[in-house]
Structures are given as C-alpha cells and as structure tokens.
Amino acid sequence: SSETYPKEIVIEYDSDCSASRERFRPDCRPEFGPGHGPEMGHVIQGKIIIDISDSLKLAGSTETITYQDFYIDSMKIDFNATLKNLGKNAKGNWVVEKEYNQTITRNNVVCVRKNKETQEWISGFGTRDRSDNKYYLSGNGSVSVNDTAIYSKTIITPLLFDASCNFISSGVVELTKNGSTATINYGDGTCDNKATVTIDGTTEEINLHSFSFPGGGRFGHHFHGFGKRD
C-alpha cells in the first residue's frame, strides 16, 4: 500500500486458483512448495492481510497477519498472528514476541491451535544472513479438536536454536497428549542429534534425526515432529 511505514500487504486468491499437477497458474502457488498445494489440484480462495507498523528491527514495531474468508477446497482456515519487537532486555539482546491463533473447520471437525512464544536473540537479529542466527525460544501452545484439548506444549527451560546446528542444542520442553506427559531435555548446548525423553517416569535417549529409541520404540508414535529445528 505504501513505500513508507505503516504498510499493508494483501495477498488475494480468487476462485480460479486451481490446477492439476500438469498445469497450474504460477500466481496460485506462493503458499506451497513442490509436491504441495495447487499443483495437487486444490482450490484456494480468500485473502491474507499483513499490516506492518514499522521496520521489525525497531523497538515497538508490530506486524499482524490475518486470513479473511480463506479456504483450501471446502476447509475454512481462520488465522491471526502478531509479532512484536519488545526491544532489548537487560542483557542487551533483542526480544521478539510471537502469538497466533488458528481455527481449521472441515465438515463437523473444528481444530483450534494457539501458540505464544518469545525469541531472545543472541546473534543475527539485524542481518539478512540466516547463517548467524542464534536465539532462545520460550513459551507455550495447545491444540484442541471439537473443544476437547488433546495436546499442549510448555517450554520449561528456553530452547537454544543455533543456525550452525541442525538440532535444538539445549533446553527442556514438556508435552502432554491424551493424558500422557513427556519431558524432552535437549542437553547442555552441545550440537548433536541426541536428547533424553522421560515418559511416565521412564527416561530414554532419543535420536533426533530418526525419532527412534535404542530399544526399538518410536518417539514419533507418541509425539510426532519434535526435535527437528523446523
């Protein structure tokens, strides 16, 4: 909307945003990578509205993201997110707060995801090069289906993300799912693919690359997706 701040960015998908694997409209693809999205035959409709108050490098700046009448096929997605630059803390590190709420409605199933996290940047905040990114992440989140909470995440000790390492280097996170609780300890800051997982009082070492336990169990069967940096 403007070359100066504040700025508004509107991404709009019309009802013709559909295609097959063999033929697709390039302007229907921004949200997806190869093998996903419109080239697989999905229809996308609606708007994504992004409002930016000022450069996110400046203390006090905010960015909001809102989905408006957004659908993928018959699945409705309501989404709003806010990013805030809270300035520098007592250590002199930049702090960014991120919060989002997402509701996915498909037929009679309603899935609600909520997440609020804070990044304390050790290095790389002011550069475009991602290779020097290093920050601590804290916060919590939850997922519920049809108003029944089935999953939650709480970061007990801030998680250390370092671009030079493919895995979380340190920190502790507690997960709950269907009445079961797991605590994951990522270690002392050493870059490796190992963590310890405690489930119902039993502690085992996990390989963060394969999510496998030495005894043959599969961490992914209990809490899929944790350990990888993305």
Side-chain angles (χ1 to χ4, degrees):
S1 61
S2 171
E3 293 187 4
T4 60
Y5 292 102
K7 296 182 179 182
E8 182 178 73
I9 302 168
V10 178
I11 304 168
E12 183 170 6
Y13 299 84
D14 62 34
S15 59
D16 193 35
C17 266
S18 62
S20 66
R21 182 189 294 272
E22 291 78 18
R23 181 180 62 84
F24 56 82
R25 285 177 48 187
D27 57 322
C28 294
R29 297 188 63 198
E31 288 292 298
F32 301 92
H36 298 82
E39 68 266 37
M40 299 299 289
H42 296 296
V43 177
I44 304 175
Q45 301 179 65
K47 294 181 181 180
I48 300 174
I49 302 171
I50 305 168
D51 289 296
I52 310 172
S53 69
D54 209 329
S55 169
L56 290 177
K57 295 180 181 180
L58 300 178
S61 60
T62 62
E63 177 179 319
T64 62
I65 303 168
T66 305
Y67 284 26
Q68 186 178 94
D69 297 324
F70 194 88
Y71 288 84
I72 298 178
D73 299 328
S74 62
M75 181 169 62
K76 188 174 190 297
I77 303 176
D78 294 297
F79 181 87
N80 60 79
T82 303
L83 286 76
K84 298 179 181 179
N85 184 331
L86 301 183
K88 291 185 177 182
N89 61 15
K91 300 177 184 177
N93 297 328
W94 288 99
V95 178
V96 176
E97 181 182 81
K98 301 191 293 183
E99 183 173 7
Y100 76 79
N101 294 277
Q102 179 189 64
T103 301
I104 300 174
T105 305
R106 185 174 185 178
N107 299 325
N108 295 322
V109 178
V110 179
C111 178
V112 179
R113 303 166 65 101
K114 298 181 180 181
N115 202 63
K116 186 173 183 177
E117 295 177 332
T118 301
Q119 289 177 311
E120 179 188 356
W121 285 81
I122 309 304
S123 64
F125 177 77
T127 69
R128 291 181 178 271
D129 185 2
R130 297 181 63 181
S131 66
D132 61 351
N133 285 0
K134 187 175 182 179
Y135 60 86
Y136 284 103
L137 185 71
S138 59
N140 58 79
S142 65
V143 177
S144 65
V145 178
N146 290 346
D147 293 326
T148 301
I150 61 170
Y151 173 87
S152 67
K153 173 193 70 176
T154 302
I155 299 174
I156 306 299
T157 304
L159 305 177
L160 177 59
F161 288 79
D162 189 335
S164 65
C165 183
N166 287 327
F167 304 95
I168 299 172
S169 301
S170 67
V172 179
V173 60
E174 182 179 86
L175 313 174
T176 61
K177 181 179 180 182
N178 295 333
S180 182
T181 299
T183 302
I184 310 173
N185 190 323
Y186 290 95
D188 60 2
T190 302
C191 180
D192 56 35
N193 64 354
K194 298 177 182 179
T196 58
V197 179
T198 302
I199 300 177
D200 299 330
T202 300
T203 300
E204 295 184 81
E205 185 179 275
I206 184 177
N207 183 309
L208 295 174
H209 179 72
S210 63
F211 300 128
S212 62
F213 291 103
R218 293 285 296 181
F219 177 64
H221 289 175
H222 297 279
F223 298 94
H224 178 68
F226 276 82
K228 291 186 175 180
R229 54 183 294 178
D230 55 357

